[in-house]
Amino acid sequence: NAGVMQNPRHLVRRRGQEARLRCSPMKGHSHVYWYRQLPEEGLKFMVYLQKENIIDESGMPKERFSAEFPKEGPSILRIQQVVRGDSAAYFCASSPGEGYEQYFGPGTRLTVT
Amino acid sequence: QKEVEQNSGPLSVPEGAIASLNCTYSDRVSQSFFWYRQYSGKSPELIMSIYSNGDKEDGRFTAQLNKASQYVSLLIRDSQPSDSATYLCAVIFSSGSARQLTFGSGTQLTVLP
């Protein structure tokens, strides 16, 4: 049973470009969460999605960040007009339901130059 | 604001000893508690989940939960050098649509051979 998959594993973008991060949940999981870990900081929640619905985006920055989980295909976290402060590890997690264990993917390390 | 606090560490124990990691949380109605292990540069790996008061054992790991004291701990018996990592306590605070993990800052454990 494949785990949570994320790609790319490493992404380098210049300031002002767009970053698109992809996450495929574990088989049988329909709940997806995105977290960000800034250098030398803890893990912070960004957004919680189910298929075709954003359930909770209280942790998302108000501008430039968006997320989706379409009926078909992976969940996507999009960052427009990236700035150096966006450099971080972005982790996706999935669970089979609310309140259950969340399993993390390997993460995408975003570097903004 | 709901918070999770952990021993600041770092914590060093000799090989074969018991490592004790502690965590407190701020919300009495929390229902779900987790311990993750994170090696440097890697993603969090779920070690234990605990939902009710008492102890839960899985191999060399024991999680303990005391909801009245808002306290959860992780014991690692027969510690091995491969257990050297950062251990993250995480809580799902039950309010509204919130189902995300709130993480503590982590305790860095070093097991000395």
Side-chain angles (χ1 to χ4, degrees):
Chain A
N1 189 9
V4 178
M5 294 190 290
Q6 290 187 250
N7 66 80
R9 297 287 297 274
H10 299 275
L11 182 61
V12 179
R13 286 287 178 265
R14 291 197 177 118
R15 281 178 296 172
Q17 291 185 320
E18 179 179 284
R20 290 168 66 90
L21 288 60
R22 295 174 181 78
C23 168
S24 296
M26 287 180 69
K27 186 177 181 180
H29 288 192
S30 59
H31 299 244
V32 166
Y33 311 79
W34 286 92
Y35 295 86
R36 178 167 67 174
Q37 190 168 37
L38 293 166
E40 306 304 321
E41 293 191 17
L43 277 157
K44 302 294 184 186
F45 166 76
M46 299 183 74
V47 62
Y48 164 35
L49 309 104
Q50 297 179 26
K51 283 287 187 181
E52 301 185 279
N53 285 301
I54 297 174
I55 307 301
D56 182 358
E57 56 182 346
S58 59
M60 287 275 271
K62 293 289 185 270
E63 298 178 351
R64 302 187 297 107
F65 285 73
S66 63
E68 63 178 2
F69 190 13
K71 185 177 181 180
E72 301 291 338
S75 175
I76 295 175
L77 179 67
R78 177 189 296 173
I79 311 172
Q80 297 177 304
Q81 300 176 330
V82 296
V83 301
R84 286 201 173 135
D86 297 332
S87 295
Y90 291 82
F91 295 103
C92 169
S94 73
S95 72
E98 293 184 352
Y100 288 87
E101 293 89 347
Q102 295 181 22
Y103 296 89
F104 281 77
T108 295
R109 270 77 179 171
L110 172 65
T111 301
V112 179
T113 62
Chain B
Q1 184 172 350
K2 297 178 172 60
E3 295 181 338
V4 178
E5 295 189 3
Q6 296 184 242
N7 289 355
S8 57
L11 175 66
S12 294
V13 299
E15 184 174 357
I18 296 175
S20 177
L21 305 163
N22 303 314
C23 173
T24 58
Y25 58 94
S26 62
D27 189 331
R28 287 186 178 276
V29 299
S30 306
Q31 296 296 320
S32 306
F33 308 87
F34 308 89
W35 284 98
Y36 287 84
R37 177 173 62 194
Q38 187 175 28
Y39 294 108
S40 181
K42 302 295 185 182
S43 63
E45 174 191 5
L46 180 66
I47 298 175
M48 294 282 285
S49 60
I50 186 165
Y51 300 95
S52 56
N53 279 329
D55 295 358
K56 179 181 178 182
E57 185 174 319
D58 184 0
R60 295 186 296 112
F61 299 98
T62 299
Q64 299 173 318
L65 175 62
N66 183 327
K67 290 188 177 182
S69 300
Q70 296 174 219
Y71 175 90
V72 59
S73 66
L74 180 71
L75 299 177
I76 306 175
R77 291 182 299 281
D78 188 24
S79 296
Q80 301 296 309
S82 58
D83 294 327
S84 298
T86 297
Y87 288 80
L88 302 168
C89 174
V91 178
I92 295 180
F93 292 108
S94 305
S95 63
S97 61
R99 295 296 181 267
Q100 70 269 24
L101 295 166
T102 298
F103 286 90
S105 57
T107 298
Q108 187 174 347
L109 172 67
T110 300
V111 180
L112 303 170

